[in-house]
Amino acid sequence: MAVAARRKFRREGEERRRQDLIEATLDCVAENGLQGATVRAIALRAGVTAGLIRHYFPGKEELLQAAYATIMGRMTELAKTALATVEEEPRLRLAAFVGASLVPPVIDARTFSLWASFIGRAGSDPALGVAHRAGYLGFRDEVEALVAKVLADVGRKASEGELRRHAIAINAIIDGLWVEGCLAGDMFASGELAEIGIGSVEAMLGLSLRQGDVA
Amino acid sequence: MAVAARRKFRREGEERRRQDLIEATLDCVAENGLQGATVRAIALRAGVTAGLIRHYFPGKEELLQAAYATIMGRMTELAKTALATVEEEPRLRLAAFVGASLVPPVIDARTFSLWASFIGRAGSDPALGVAHRAGYLGFRDEVEALVAKVLADVGRKASEGELRRHAIAINAIIDGLWVEGCLAGDMFASGELAEIGIGSVEAMLGLSLRQGDVA
DNA sequence: GACGTTGTTATGCAAGTGTATAAATATTGC
DNA sequence: GCAATATTTATACACTTGCATAACAACGTC
């Protein structure tokens, strides 16, 4: 009788394994939604057996939470990168930020799929809703600060309410273009969304954000 | 021995039952995502037993497809209603359309939850992707037509490319504000999103859309 | 190089999944 | 009322799910 050989394996570092499991989870969710993220599918993709998951996480729920935290962190990280442009001049900074938010890697079908999969439950899961709100408000505050600097730079005064409205609107157009770019990127020429985004912000603020036009 | 009494039931019309099952499915999906839409949960909510589902649909997959088609149809229906304003004057029509898209019932947490739950799989499921694209393009074409009328009305010429960009941008800001309104409606005053949306479109087109300002 | 630790696999289990089938009853036409 | 029909329930089945447990083997330590 041929005894089934026990599978060979390597011991990876703890942090490495955790990350691998999280990444495998994200892959599963991105491809087939939360439904596709079964412990067996995740383990298969991570190259381990299902039982190992419970060695690193109390349960599947906690693994999903860790995965959600990871994708949220990655998204805010991308947003920060978009914000951290080298430009000094306020208008150029704002333009660079909007533009960077509308090209890869921020525009990314996988990220969008993950966002949608998780956010779909923001209505019923309070923790998700709170997390979204925090991320959104943080993002909007950054936009508002950028806009305030731009307006100050050109010598325009804006009330608190005006600033708020500008931030909401700019945020919305970035989000809207982001969704479309992620869902159907091939419908737009390369850089077209960034172009449209910057142009729209210019129109909304009533001033040019680009070098050539700067007085 | 007390024999378990067989459950009483009524025979409903075929179309009525189908609709009830679809509505129950949407309820389940909206509350707990596609995961929550098990045949038993759906049946429970519809007030029938699980087996009945297969009397009206070949399988669960087909029921989900019918539910998706329903929510998509309902969304385009809402969009059409927003378009079917009584206003005659092109600018007022555009403003009314934008405004109607940013208040209930278009702004609706349940609808958003359903949208997100299904659209999350648009990347992997080609049928979903195609459906979204068709809906989006139809919507955008309507916006483009509206904008064209507005510009013609004020005697401005716009190239095909300009029209396209305007439609994309207006669409994006509606979508972006819609998402935020659905996810965190309580963060905005009643009518604030509509106000911001219309104001942004005015800025983007460089003209007023409101009665008082019409020349 | 043997040994103990523990990361990892393998196996099992109870609950839940979609589906198939048969039994039962509500409804229709007479 | 009564039989015929097909909607609806009830039950069963094979499979998947997350989780528990025990056996195992890779690695550090002496």
Side-chain angles (χ1 to χ4, degrees):
Chain A
M1 281 302 228
V3 169
R6 187 170 256 253
R7 173 176 173 163
K8 301 291 183 196
F9 62 92
R10 285 183 47 208
R11 294 187 165 187
E12 299 284 354
E14 165 163 356
E15 214 40 52
R16 168 72 187 279
R17 267 280 135 84
R18 284 189 118 83
Q19 274 315 117
D20 283 354
L21 286 173
I22 288 175
E23 208 56 47
T25 304
L26 291 176
D27 282 342
C28 290
V29 174
E31 279 185 23
N32 298 317
L34 290 170
Q35 301 203 90
T38 68
V39 289
R40 285 169 176 83
I42 293 168
L44 180 66
R45 200 177 272 264
V48 298
T49 52
L52 192 61
I53 287 178
R54 283 204 28 105
H55 193 262
Y56 287 99
F57 298 91
K60 184 196 168 188
E61 185 62 29
E62 285 76 10
L63 172 54
L64 277 177
Q65 284 172 13
Y68 177 67
T70 298
I71 189 61
M72 281 290 281
R74 216 167 275 177
M75 286 181 74
T76 62
E77 194 60 36
L78 282 172
K80 271 187 196 164
T81 304
L83 270 165
T85 168
V86 295
E87 303 294 344
E88 287 291 338
E89 211 274 323
R91 280 165 288 183
L92 295 180
R93 276 184 64 83
L94 179 55
F97 166 67
V98 174
S101 300
L102 295 172
V103 294
V106 180
I107 296 270
D108 177 63
R110 179 173 179 272
T111 303
F112 174 80
S113 176
L114 289 167
W115 175 82
S117 295
F118 284 111
I119 208 69
R121 282 176 55 179
S124 52
D125 187 333
L128 276 183
V130 169
H132 163 77
R133 191 163 307 211
Y136 168 74
L137 283 180
F139 198 73
R140 203 177 81 186
D141 285 347
E142 297 279 6
V143 171
E144 195 169 316
L146 268 179
V147 171
K149 282 216 187 73
V150 166
L151 292 183
D153 189 57
V154 298
R156 270 169 52 185
K157 295 183 184 177
S159 71
E160 206 174 311
E162 279 173 311
L163 271 182
R164 168 186 156 92
R165 282 202 298 277
H166 278 141
I168 292 173
I170 292 173
N171 216 62
I173 198 160
I174 292 175
D175 286 355
L177 291 174
W178 177 76
V179 169
E180 285 315 320
C182 292
L183 272 173
D186 56 296
M187 274 177 17
F188 306 98
S190 155
E192 185 179 14
L193 290 174
E195 171 73 25
I196 294 175
I198 295 171
S200 300
V201 172
E202 287 178 324
M204 293 193 301
L205 296 180
L207 48 81
S208 170
L209 299 177
R210 282 170 271 208
Q211 193 131 35
D213 308 323
V214 168
Chain B
M1 279 300 229
V3 169
R6 185 172 258 253
R7 173 177 172 165
K8 302 290 183 197
F9 62 92
R10 285 184 48 208
R11 293 185 162 186
E12 300 285 354
E14 166 164 353
E15 213 40 52
R16 168 71 187 279
R17 266 281 136 85
R18 285 188 115 84
Q19 274 315 115
D20 284 354
L21 286 173
I22 287 175
E23 210 55 48
T25 304
L26 290 177
D27 282 341
C28 291
V29 173
E31 279 186 22
N32 298 316
L34 290 170
Q35 302 203 90
T38 68
V39 289
R40 285 168 177 83
I42 293 168
L44 180 67
R45 200 177 272 265
V48 298
T49 52
L52 192 61
I53 288 177
R54 286 204 24 107
H55 192 261
Y56 287 99
F57 297 91
K60 184 196 168 190
E61 184 62 29
E62 285 77 9
L63 172 55
L64 277 176
Q65 285 171 12
Y68 177 66
T70 298
I71 189 61
M72 281 290 281
R74 217 167 276 176
M75 286 181 73
T76 62
E77 194 61 36
L78 282 172
K80 271 187 196 165
T81 304
L83 271 165
T85 168
V86 295
E87 303 295 345
E88 287 292 337
E89 211 274 323
R91 279 165 288 183
L92 295 180
R93 276 184 65 83
L94 179 56
F97 166 67
V98 174
S101 301
L102 295 172
V103 295
V106 180
I107 296 269
D108 177 63
R110 180 173 179 272
T111 303
F112 174 81
S113 175
L114 289 167
W115 175 82
S117 294
F118 283 110
I119 207 69
R121 282 175 59 179
S124 52
D125 187 332
L128 276 183
V130 169
H132 164 77
R133 193 162 305 210
Y136 168 73
L137 283 180
F139 197 74
R140 203 178 80 187
D141 284 347
E142 297 280 6
V143 171
E144 195 169 316
L146 268 179
V147 171
K149 282 215 186 73
V150 166
L151 292 184
D153 189 57
V154 298
R156 269 170 50 187
K157 295 183 184 177
S159 71
E160 206 175 309
E162 280 173 311
L163 271 181
R164 169 186 156 92
R165 283 202 298 278
H166 278 140
I168 292 173
I170 293 174
N171 215 62
I173 199 160
I174 292 175
D175 286 355
L177 291 173
W178 178 75
V179 168
E180 285 315 320
C182 292
L183 272 173
D186 56 295
M187 275 177 17
F188 307 97
S190 155
E192 184 179 16
L193 289 175
E195 171 74 25
I196 293 176
I198 295 172
S200 300
V201 172
E202 288 179 324
M204 293 194 298
L205 296 180
L207 47 81
S208 170
L209 299 177
R210 282 171 272 209
Q211 194 131 33
D213 308 321
V214 168

